[in-house]
Amino acid sequence: MEPRQESVIPASGRDYRSSSQDSMSSVTQRWTVWNCAALLCQTSARILVWLLGLLYFSSLPLGIYLLIMQNTTMGVLMVSLVPVSLLIVMVWQAVGIDGRNQIAMSGPSSGCGFLMSVVVHGDLALSEQEKELNQRLRSLYPAVNEQETPLPRSWSPKDKFSYIGLSQNNLRVHYKGHGKTPKDAASVRATHPIPAACGVYYFEVKIISKGRDGYMGIGLSAQGVNMNRLPGWDKHSYGYHGDDGHSFCSSGTGQPYGPTFTTGDVIGCCVNLINNTCFYTKNGHSLGIAFTDLPSNLYPTVGLQTPGEVVDANFGQHPFVFDIEDYMREWRTKIQAQIDRFPIGEREGEWQAMIQKMVASYLVHHSYCATAEAFAKSTDQAVHEELASIKNRQKIQKLVLSGRMGEAIETTQQLYPSLLERNSDLLFMLKVRQFIEMVNGTDSEVRCLGGRSPKSQDSYPGSPRLFNSPVHKASSSQTYQTSTYYIHKIFFLPAWVKKHLTKMILQKSGLLHQKKNFYTEVEMEVDHFSNGVSESSSNGFLNGSSTHGIDLEELDSAQSKRQLCGGSQAAIERMIQFGRELQSMSEHLRRERGKNSANKKMLKDAFSLLAYSDPWNSPVGYQLDSIQREPVCSTLNSAILETHNLPKQPPLALAVGQAAQCLSLMARTGSGSCAFASVDDYLH
Amino acid sequence: MMACLLEAPLRISVLSEVTATSRHYVDRLFDPDPQNVLQGVIDMKNAVIGNNKQKANLIVLGAVPRLLYLLQQSSSSLELRTECAVVLGSLAMGTENNIKSLVDCHIIPALLQGLLCSDLIFIEACLRCLRTVFISPVTPVQLLYTDPTVIPHLMSLLSRSRHTKEYITQIFAHCCKTPEHQTVLFNHSAIQNIAPLLISPSDKVRMQALKCFSVLAYENTQVSMTLVNVLVDGEQLSQVFVRMMQRDKPIEMQLTAAKCLTYMCRAGAIRTDDNCIILKTLPCLVRMCSKERLLEERVEGAETLAYLMEPDVELQRIASFTDHLVSMLADYFKYPSSVSAITDIKRLDHDLKHAHELRQAAFKLYASLGSNDEDIRKKITETENMMDRIVSGLSESSIKVRLAAVRCLHSLSRSVQQLRTSFHDHAVWKPLMKLLQNAPDEVLVMASSTLCNLLLEFSPSKEPILDSGVIELLCSLTQSDSPALRVNGIWALMNMAFQADQKVKVEIVRALGTEQLFRLLSDPDTNVLMKTLGLLRNLLSTRPHIDQIMSSHGKQIMQAVTLILEGEHSIEVKEQTLCILANIADGNTAKELIMTNDDMLQKIKYYMGHSNVKLQLAATFCISNLIWNEEDDSP
């Protein structure tokens, strides 16, 4: 419970969205590691292929030589290598695309160039389909947590009767028994049960061939139901059969339900996990409710009974014939209307007072003191913290948010002397942030050196949009200069970082292009988030007693030549020196308190910034974004509040976190309405 | 009793008090000081809001003409005129009687005149009042069209504000009732003006614009053909309608959008196999029939769906298995339900009011569903108590229900299997015959064509129907003014005569009379002519019958045949006539009538050499009958 809430409560106003920020950083991390791995693989793979090729082509003369030399076993082995490998290739080609995983293994050993290309191509198509599937599942079932409850994506090769054969990535099902009596019926279940958090779940089955008699059943069954039967015949098993169009609800005798179905038809099955019903569709037309009072954790199931029957499943790999989104829209509106019309009854006064209290405490927590004061006055409430204390916190927060970390640390030490001494991890985090701000050129120490007017201190953009304005391209000569400069200067870094960085710098010209593409995508997302947030953060400024005018012109110029540490040599020197201090602090911490992977990663990421000529456009450049100041700010704020015995998190954020927890609890206990009641929808 | 007596004077005094205050309001309208008049009108406005009694009092006391006078007076201040329009609008919100009095005071021309003013707020007040007057069922719609300048002016006001958009489209939607109205609005480019309103940010405006399109497109090919080509914001109109049918949209919007697409489809502007019909409109209309919807919505949904799929068997097939539609419709007959009678009177009243509408809608939809496909008919007759419901529907008091029930019966009577089984089991002919005794023409047409099917040779109901004196009834139908009734009458007789007893044939000839037969043979409607010839052919079958009829009516029949063979008729008619001749030739004595008629033999010879194969065949058939007879006769 703790860690989840932590992610919910970070900073001013932005709180509930930062989880996506987290996911982004992890993606980035993977990206860099992947790069290195790919680099390594590329060279080694090339060498390997060459070696194997050499071995392959020399095997025939070598074999003949060995035979002549009367080394029969090795000779025969060598001679037969070429024909055998060719045979394998031909067999795999006949098998078709299905075997492409195996080809991937046999490919390098056979050393055939064209096969390699086939493999790569096939994998691309596969990943394309995978991507489409993931995308569709995510948009259909956004409330499903796939770590906890994975969605069905294919038929299970394990959970099936032996008369069932699977192909085409376990999506195609064919019958391979005798099909003489109903005793020869065979079923297969999907890999996973349908998660309740789907709200409404849907899959389609296309009848490729009705085979001899077309005794096909499409439906649902629970784990453990006999697979030597068609769906619907047993308890906890439900099916719609093609030969007579009847529905079978845990019984051997069917009820007249819908039309029959045969070759070419597309049959859909929709499970409504809100009212626990199920209906089928035929070629995009709903056939009406088939089953009610369904149990939870059912698996999509198909059953076949006569030879020649072949069906294909669509769990989201392709667009559905039936407009399931439209059906979901109806239920979303229903659930939301239910929430909106939730009866409060006579307790309306109580509710209002509670909500006002929560809002007030939220404002105080984030030290919007003027707003808090005004709100408290108009709603007749008392503020539980002294005004001076709020203002102090506000001051520190403002410094952090404007990137002036040095001053922020200093002020904190002044106002709350023992806080940082006791909490060295927090101090370390602040220092790392200070280092990042130095790189950014916004930290006060660097600013003075950078020769910019120290008076116009605020560089926290009033509107984050500025950050996404087209980035000025540093001239190439300059880039070169700075990058060589790093190579000279990175000696202070530990050996592993050095190695890592050198490699990165050497490769960056080639990789930069890819990264840029990747990054524009991420930046757009960031833009979206920050737009929603800017209001609340600027609120903080407006409330402040001191008036920091935001000098747009100055900001613009800062943007237009974004250079390391503001471009000043002295500042860079200072930054490097600070980096060394930080390194030693980290070592010190490790010695005292043992390893701390979070700290280690934080430092590594921060130092990685120096590896790029243009850190803002690098894979680790997100750290320089002003949004990243907010988690730091909120952690510091929470720490200060804790020393005053005030709650670490505002009750409002707690309530939001609790609501989110409730929803995930609902998902776990199988009530489907949670799918259409996302907390985020109510936080606008 | 005592209490009533005591209370009466009290009530009178209250009433007089109210009248006194009302009089005070009216008196103030005549104040010489315009400022006082304005204040008076404003006070009146506040007094009448939501008070129907007060409204009625003011109207009785003659406030309306004065208010209208003030409104029309250009010397009055704009504010006063606006307030007058607001008060009038408020008065119109009351009962239907209020509206009648307002219309009688010529409020409509006065308000339409007011629209010529340039002030937007005043215009909006006038439009609001006009809207309220026009949406009332008691207002004659024609008043909107009497002055030809009104519609163009309203079109020009359309884009002025959100309110003008809403009110004007609402007026159009309610005042477009006939094809003439549709044409007037169409000619003043209503489509181009209203189409952009479909993507207006205001829900009300969108809804009214949509309603406008549904009334404009109803049974109007010209409008429908124009609509398919209209683009709104780069999107086809049909796509806009499809979006409005999404399940999260208000039900009224879904239903009206489905109506628009239905009308466009029936007018031929959209194909029936278009995805927006098959995958969107049809399922949407089926949803409208579900139990969750209001009774009014279910009625409209079922009627629209019936209209949509009437001509297309594929749509009927799809609808028949969509969402259990056939059994869903059975619910339409369960009003007023026993539950509603117990729980509350209000609901019972509501149910009773809609019960007839629901039943007739369900019958219509069943009729449409079963008009082509045998499997669907079977499914319908297997629905719980279906035949009983139809039988009781045939004798219901509401003519709409009777008509719908007989339509449904007619549609089901196309099934041979049903004719043989359920129709006979439930003796549907009894209420049907009763219905035929006295009914309006539209019911008669349906009932008689159902009777045609019931009189088919294999129908077990044929005998009892014959016994109930149906021949007289059918003969009287053949004398009707309506061609449809004449066809049905003679058609039924034709079916009846097929392989019938001598007795029946004689009875038919007697009841119809040769004079009437001749009249039918010269009927302008080819259908009537064909069926009459068919009747003759059926009458003249099997040798003894031929001889008997020819001996009594031979001369007239030969005359009629000659007449038709000489006249300007289609190939089918002549072929049928030659077949009659062939039948006559089959008789023992009757053949003499041909053999002795040189002219007739010449004609047969002529048709043997005719370019049309069918006629050649019929003539040859005729000759072969003549010859075969002779051989048979000779010893």
Side-chain angles (χ1 to χ4, degrees):
Chain A
M1 212 135 144
E2 259 317 292
R4 270 197 70 76
Q5 283 189 351
E6 199 61 58
S7 76
V8 165
I9 293 137
S12 55
R14 164 156 324 155
D15 314 7
Y16 325 107
R17 285 155 210 163
S18 57
S19 56
S20 61
Q21 207 67 43
D22 291 347
S23 72
M24 185 189 83
S25 64
S26 67
V27 167
T28 323
Q29 185 57 27
R30 245 181 277 134
W31 180 253
T32 43
V33 172
W34 161 248
N35 277 339
C36 305
L39 271 173
L40 207 93
C41 284
Q42 265 177 25
T43 32
S44 58
R46 224 169 272 160
I47 295 165
L48 197 73
V49 167
W50 276 112
L51 275 173
L52 284 169
L54 205 67
L55 183 73
Y56 183 77
F57 287 113
S58 57
S59 66
L60 200 61
L62 193 72
I64 294 165
Y65 173 71
L66 284 172
L67 278 176
I68 293 168
M69 297 304 285
Q70 314 234 308
N71 193 341
T72 338
T73 351
M74 275 307 280
V76 169
L77 211 82
M78 281 292 174
V79 169
S80 58
L81 184 62
V82 173
V84 163
S85 65
L86 282 174
L87 202 73
I88 290 174
V89 167
M90 276 159 72
V91 166
W92 279 122
Q93 275 204 314
V95 166
I97 315 162
D98 306 333
R100 68 181 146 234
N101 289 336
Q102 285 84 340
I103 295 173
M105 288 187 296
S106 69
S109 66
S110 69
C112 288
F114 77 93
L115 245 187
M116 291 277 274
S117 73
V118 167
V119 171
V120 170
H121 189 77
D123 273 343
L124 269 179
L126 182 69
S127 70
E128 200 63 31
Q129 196 190 36
E130 199 103 309
K131 226 164 102 188
E132 197 189 332
L133 172 68
N134 285 333
Q135 214 167 5
R136 184 164 294 113
L137 292 182
R138 216 179 308 130
S139 80
L140 281 175
Y141 318 115
V144 174
N145 175 9
E146 284 219 72
Q147 250 93 49
E148 223 169 274
T149 49
L151 287 157
R153 281 156 200 265
S154 65
W155 301 115
S156 164
K158 292 173 203 136
D159 199 5
K160 71 177 180 66
F161 195 65
S162 53
Y163 290 170
I164 290 285
L166 296 179
S167 57
Q168 308 211 347
N169 302 316
N170 293 334
L171 289 173
R172 173 162 287 187
V173 185
H174 65 267
Y175 184 78
K176 53 181 191 187
H178 325 285
K180 280 178 188 140
T181 66
K183 281 182 185 159
D184 296 324
S187 292
V188 57
R189 268 189 280 272
T191 46
H192 300 284
I194 299 164
C198 292
V200 167
Y201 181 79
Y202 185 71
F203 71 97
E204 276 179 354
V205 172
K206 184 176 172 132
I207 315 301
I208 301 301
S209 163
K210 77 175 192 78
R212 200 183 69 204
D213 297 327
Y215 290 165
M216 299 159 290
I218 292 162
L220 308 157
S221 67
Q223 175 85 69
V225 172
N226 188 356
M227 298 313 271
N228 189 13
R229 312 267 285 158
L230 286 189
W233 287 350
D234 301 289
K235 196 166 161 39
H236 293 314
S237 170
Y238 307 85
Y240 166 38
H241 293 194
D243 54 321
D244 54 6
H246 287 186
S247 65
F248 288 72
C249 179
S250 306
S251 145
T253 47
Q255 298 288 320
Y257 168 66
T260 58
F261 56 85
T262 181
T263 307
D265 285 329
V266 177
I267 303 299
C269 175
C270 178
V271 184
N272 184 329
L273 296 129
I274 299 158
N275 59 11
N276 296 317
T277 59
C278 159
F279 68 86
Y280 288 91
T281 66
K282 181 184 170 184
N283 300 329
H285 295 282
S286 159
L287 304 179
I289 301 281
F291 310 115
T292 54
D293 303 309
L294 291 175
S296 51
N297 284 324
L298 291 172
Y299 290 72
T301 310
V302 290
L304 308 174
Q305 198 185 302
T306 62
E309 291 169 357
V310 183
V311 298
D312 268 359
N314 176 10
F315 293 107
Q317 280 86 357
H318 308 285
F320 291 120
V321 180
F322 177 71
D323 191 352
I324 187 65
E325 282 100 337
D326 201 27
Y327 181 76
M328 287 174 135
R329 266 195 290 269
E330 183 182 340
W331 277 90
R332 183 170 292 119
T333 351
K334 270 187 197 169
I335 299 293
Q336 280 169 4
Q338 218 177 341
I339 294 170
D340 294 345
R341 279 193 242 113
F342 182 79
I344 296 172
E346 288 163 17
R347 295 172 57 208
E348 195 167 345
E350 263 175 70
W351 281 52
Q352 199 182 2
M354 180 73 74
I355 288 169
Q356 281 171 350
K357 235 186 233 170
M358 282 170 89
V359 172
S361 61
Y362 179 82
L363 292 172
V364 170
H365 181 94
H366 291 296
S367 45
Y368 303 137
C369 55
T371 317
E373 235 179 319
F375 186 80
K377 208 182 272 171
S378 64
T379 53
D380 272 339
Q381 291 182 77
V383 177
H384 295 291
E385 196 185 348
E386 279 172 56
L387 195 65
S389 156
I390 302 177
K391 281 201 171 138
N392 281 341
R393 283 194 294 117
Q394 189 184 34
K395 195 170 157 194
I396 294 168
Q397 285 186 11
K398 228 165 10 194
L399 288 170
V400 174
L401 288 177
S402 57
R404 292 150 66 196
M405 288 304 299
E407 281 172 77
I409 295 170
E410 222 168 275
T411 318
T412 314
Q413 276 161 344
Q414 266 171 27
L415 291 170
Y416 308 99
S418 58
L419 176 74
L420 293 178
E421 276 167 39
R422 270 187 285 117
N423 200 341
S424 48
D425 276 341
L426 178 65
L427 181 63
F428 181 70
M429 178 180 161
L430 293 176
K431 293 256 183 185
V432 172
R433 185 68 217 171
Q434 187 177 4
F435 175 79
I436 294 167
E437 296 299 351
M438 281 177 161
V439 175
N440 209 3
T442 40
D443 190 68
S444 2
E445 282 188 53
V446 174
R447 269 166 181 254
C448 305
L449 295 167
R452 278 204 261 148
S453 154
K455 269 176 194 165
S456 54
Q457 292 136 321
D458 255 319
S459 84
Y460 185 71
S463 150
R465 193 163 38 82
L466 283 170
F467 247 91
N468 295 323
S469 57
V471 176
H472 173 80
K473 285 190 198 109
S475 68
S476 56
S477 66
Q478 208 179 353
T479 315
Y480 181 66
Q481 260 179 11
T482 27
S483 58
T484 46
Y485 181 77
Y486 300 141
I487 299 173
H488 289 302
K489 288 288 181 178
I490 51 175
F491 57 87
F492 71 87
L493 293 168
W496 62 268
V497 185
K498 244 187 259 183
K499 217 167 82 189
H500 173 77
L501 288 182
T502 325
K503 207 185 285 164
M504 292 273 246
I505 291 164
L506 289 172
Q507 291 295 330
K508 101 194 125 193
S509 50
L511 295 172
L512 207 60
H513 184 65
Q514 283 176 306
K515 282 173 198 151
K516 248 186 197 157
N517 280 346
F518 171 75
Y519 238 69
T520 44
E521 215 178 281
V522 175
E523 258 182 342
M524 267 158 61
E525 252 179 281
V526 167
D527 189 24
H528 171 73
F529 290 128
S530 51
N531 272 343
V533 158
S534 59
E535 283 167 317
S536 53
S537 42
S538 60
N539 226 352
F541 289 113
L542 293 175
N543 279 322
S545 47
S546 55
T547 48
H548 294 283
I550 297 170
D551 193 346
L552 281 177
E553 243 177 90
E554 208 263 342
L555 259 180
D556 271 347
S557 64
Q559 293 305 316
S560 63
K561 42 177 199 276
R562 273 198 327 208
Q563 286 175 13
L564 201 68
C565 307
S568 140
Q569 195 68 26
I572 294 175
E573 296 282 359
R574 169 73 194 121
M575 183 261 291
I576 301 288
Q577 191 201 339
F578 189 83
R580 278 199 208 104
E581 286 167 23
L582 208 53
Q583 177 69 22
S584 67
M585 181 177 176
S586 158
E587 278 159 16
H588 181 71
L589 266 177
R590 195 172 63 214
R591 247 176 278 123
E592 235 164 58
R593 308 181 153 221
K595 273 190 181 174
N596 183 330
S597 58
N599 281 355
K600 192 175 159 188
K601 183 183 170 304
M602 199 155 56
L603 191 65
K604 192 177 131 194
D605 284 349
F607 285 165
S608 300
L609 282 171
L610 297 187
Y612 295 90
S613 61
D614 183 0
W616 289 270
N617 265 344
S618 70
V620 288
Y622 67 91
Q623 297 178 88
L624 296 166
D625 197 328
S626 55
I627 283 173
Q628 295 298 323
R629 292 167 185 162
E630 304 205 352
V632 177
C633 176
S634 120
T635 317
L636 179 57
N637 190 30
S638 297
I640 296 171
L641 282 167
E642 260 185 317
T643 60
H644 288 235
N645 284 329
L646 285 165
K648 198 167 121 183
Q649 302 161 350
L652 189 64
L654 264 179
V656 168
Q658 193 173 15
Q661 279 296 316
C662 278
L663 283 173
S664 62
L665 202 64
M666 278 172 80
R668 253 171 261 146
T669 55
S671 69
S673 357
C674 63
F676 301 126
S678 151
V679 177
D680 281 347
D681 290 351
Y682 290 88
L683 296 176
H684 290 305
Chain B
M1 270 307 260
M2 281 300 285
C4 276
L5 279 173
L6 277 172
E7 256 178 49
L10 228 163
R11 265 179 28 216
I12 289 167
S13 76
V14 170
L15 207 100
S16 64
E17 221 172 275
V18 170
T19 322
T21 53
S22 309
R23 179 162 299 286
H24 174 64
Y25 285 124
V26 179
D27 289 344
R28 284 173 71 188
L29 297 181
F30 293 90
D31 199 287
D33 181 2
Q35 207 50 47
N36 283 347
V37 176
L38 178 62
Q39 195 52 49
V41 176
I42 292 173
D43 289 345
M44 188 188 273
K45 176 177 79 178
N46 294 333
V48 295
I49 289 175
N51 187 341
N52 271 350
K53 198 176 271 175
Q54 186 74 273
K55 287 175 191 172
N57 281 336
L58 287 175
I59 290 172
V60 170
L61 292 170
V64 178
R66 181 63 187 169
L67 283 169
L68 281 175
Y69 171 80
L70 292 170
L71 181 122
Q72 284 171 295
Q73 215 51 31
S74 50
S75 59
S76 325
S77 71
L78 211 54
E79 201 185 350
L80 176 62
R81 294 170 72 186
T82 310
E83 292 297 337
C84 284
V86 172
V87 174
L88 286 167
S90 201
L91 292 177
M93 289 285 205
T95 62
E96 286 187 355
N97 281 329
N98 290 2
I99 303 258
K100 271 184 202 150
S101 341
L102 288 173
V103 174
D104 289 343
C105 293
H106 303 291
I107 187 175
I108 292 174
L111 288 171
L112 289 175
Q113 193 64 34
L115 295 181
L116 297 173
C117 176
S118 60
D119 184 69
L120 184 62
I121 296 178
F122 178 61
I123 289 176
E124 283 182 354
C126 287
L127 278 173
R128 209 174 110 78
C129 183
L130 272 173
R131 186 270 316 253
T132 317
V133 173
F134 271 121
I135 62 172
S136 162
V138 297
T139 314
V141 173
Q142 202 49 44
L143 289 173
L144 187 68
Y145 302 93
T146 34
D147 182 353
T149 61
V150 168
I151 302 290
H153 186 61
L154 285 176
M155 292 289 175
S156 69
L157 287 176
L158 203 52
S159 57
R160 288 289 291 274
S161 75
R162 194 173 69 79
H163 289 112
T164 61
K165 283 175 193 165
E166 184 192 334
Y167 301 146
I168 293 174
T169 43
Q170 203 174 352
I171 291 172
F172 287 161
H174 275 91
C175 293
C176 181
K177 308 237 175 195
T178 66
E180 292 77 52
H181 297 163
Q182 288 174 340
T183 313
V184 171
L185 290 175
F186 178 77
N187 288 342
H188 288 105
S189 48
I191 292 174
Q192 289 72 16
N193 283 320
I194 299 173
L197 307 187
L198 284 175
I199 50 167
S200 150
S202 155
D203 272 350
K204 284 182 184 166
V205 174
R206 260 182 311 177
M207 196 55 232
Q208 295 305 335
L210 189 60
K211 279 189 176 168
C212 261
F213 280 125
S214 84
V215 291
L216 279 170
Y218 180 64
E219 292 191 337
N220 191 318
T221 314
Q222 190 186 27
V223 172
S224 299
M225 287 298 184
T226 317
L227 281 182
V228 264
N229 296 322
V230 171
L231 291 181
V232 181
D233 206 20
E235 201 179 6
Q236 279 200 327
L237 206 56
S238 55
Q239 287 313 304
V240 177
F241 290 148
V242 166
R243 207 146 22 79
M244 289 174 138
M245 284 192 297
Q246 281 179 356
R247 295 193 187 204
D248 53 348
K249 297 281 185 296
I251 298 298
E252 193 189 12
M253 184 177 279
Q254 292 183 36
L255 182 56
T256 318
K259 272 179 163 178
C260 287
L261 286 166
T262 299
Y263 298 154
M264 285 160 76
C265 177
R266 280 304 301 269
I270 303 178
R271 290 163 53 98
T272 49
D273 58 357
D274 193 304
N275 269 347
C276 77
I277 297 294
I278 287 200
L279 288 175
K280 298 289 172 187
T281 311
L282 182 91
C284 174
L285 287 171
V286 174
R287 283 205 302 277
M288 294 301 138
C289 300
S290 87
K291 224 174 179 172
E292 290 163 44
R293 303 275 77 86
L294 299 176
L295 298 185
E296 295 91 328
E297 291 159 356
R298 292 168 74 179
V299 170
E300 269 193 71
E303 284 181 334
T304 314
L305 183 56
Y307 182 62
L308 171 69
M309 64 191 182
E310 211 171 12
D312 190 280
V313 64
E314 195 48 42
L315 289 182
Q316 291 160 10
R317 283 201 191 110
I318 292 171
S320 74
F321 66 68
T322 300
D323 283 340
H324 307 301
L325 178 66
V326 175
S327 51
M328 194 151 75
L329 281 176
D331 272 339
Y332 277 50
F333 295 96
K334 294 182 180 158
Y335 291 90
S337 63
S338 47
V339 186
S340 64
I342 302 162
T343 47
D344 60 320
I345 297 295
K346 219 172 170 183
R347 174 128 173 247
L348 178 68
D349 188 47
H350 179 247
D351 282 5
L352 272 175
K353 218 186 272 170
H354 290 91
H356 294 300
E357 288 291 308
L358 279 166
R359 277 199 290 272
Q360 63 90 19
F363 279 136
K364 265 187 202 165
L365 190 45
Y366 276 131
S368 203
L369 271 172
S371 57
N372 295 93
D373 190 288
E374 183 63 35
D375 288 340
I376 302 175
R377 284 187 206 122
K378 188 158 173 275
K379 214 168 162 182
I380 292 172
T381 33
E382 279 168 3
T383 317
E384 47 166 328
N385 304 330
M386 191 59 214
M387 292 313 285
D388 290 336
R389 282 187 180 129
I390 295 179
V391 168
S392 59
L394 288 175
S395 43
E396 240 185 79
S397 59
S398 157
I399 184 136
K400 253 179 138 179
V401 180
R402 265 186 288 161
L403 179 61
V406 77
R407 266 175 74 172
C408 181
L409 191 67
H410 175 239
S411 170
L412 296 176
S413 73
R414 291 184 185 152
S415 151
V416 178
Q417 197 199 348
Q418 300 311 324
L419 276 180
R420 282 191 172 143
T421 55
S422 51
F423 273 55
H424 188 58
D425 297 343
H426 291 85
V428 290
W429 62 272
K430 276 186 198 160
L432 193 65
M433 286 302 290
K434 219 164 105 196
L435 196 64
L436 279 163
Q437 301 305 332
N438 69 39
D441 268 10
E442 42 181 353
V443 178
L444 270 183
V445 171
M446 270 297 148
S448 54
S449 54
T450 314
L451 198 63
C452 285
N453 290 341
L454 281 170
L455 284 170
L456 282 166
E457 179 260 337
F458 48 78
S459 159
S461 309
K462 187 177 173 179
E463 287 305 316
I465 296 176
L466 274 175
D467 296 339
S468 64
V470 74
I471 296 179
E472 296 290 336
L473 184 95
L474 291 174
C475 290
S476 69
L477 281 185
T478 61
Q479 292 169 14
S480 155
D481 291 334
S482 143
L485 278 180
R486 287 200 304 271
V487 171
N488 285 345
I490 198 75
W491 195 339
L493 286 172
M494 179 184 95
N495 284 350
M496 201 190 295
F498 182 73
Q499 294 184 357
D501 296 340
Q502 177 78 14
K503 205 184 85 199
V504 176
K505 287 187 182 169
V506 173
E507 178 63 17
I508 291 173
V509 176
R510 189 199 58 75
L512 197 60
T514 40
E515 222 168 287
Q516 174 64 9
L517 201 64
F518 271 97
R519 214 174 294 139
L520 288 169
L521 283 175
S522 52
D523 199 282
D525 192 327
T526 339
N527 262 328
V528 177
L529 179 59
M530 279 297 281
K531 298 300 173 226
T532 317
L533 290 170
L535 171 66
L536 268 177
R537 206 178 141 187
N538 284 348
L539 287 173
L540 295 168
S541 66
T542 69
R543 211 163 289 155
H545 297 181
I546 297 170
D547 287 339
Q548 212 217 332
I549 292 174
M550 288 310 282
S551 66
S552 51
H553 302 93
K555 209 178 143 199
Q556 291 96 323
I557 290 173
M558 287 310 286
Q559 232 174 343
V561 169
T562 319
L563 209 76
I564 290 169
L565 286 179
E566 282 172 0
E568 293 278 316
H569 287 292
S570 64
I571 305 276
E572 284 77 29
V573 172
K574 300 226 161 147
E575 186 198 4
Q576 192 77 308
T577 320
L578 285 170
C579 285
I580 293 172
L581 264 182
N583 279 7
I584 296 171
D586 194 35
N588 287 331
T589 51
K591 67 154 201 251
E592 289 305 321
L593 282 166
I594 302 174
M595 293 309 289
T596 54
N597 192 336
D598 238 15
D599 182 41
M600 191 57 75
L601 287 171
Q602 284 300 318
K603 282 205 173 65
I604 294 173
K605 200 179 140 197
Y606 163 74
Y607 282 111
M608 277 181 74
H610 197 275
S611 59
N612 189 292
V613 185
K614 279 183 179 173
L615 291 183
Q616 273 181 19
L617 264 175
T620 321
F621 181 46
C622 197
I623 297 288
S624 97
N625 273 356
L626 285 170
I627 296 166
W628 192 74
N629 266 352
E630 270 172 341
E631 276 175 1
D632 197 35
D633 265 355
S634 56

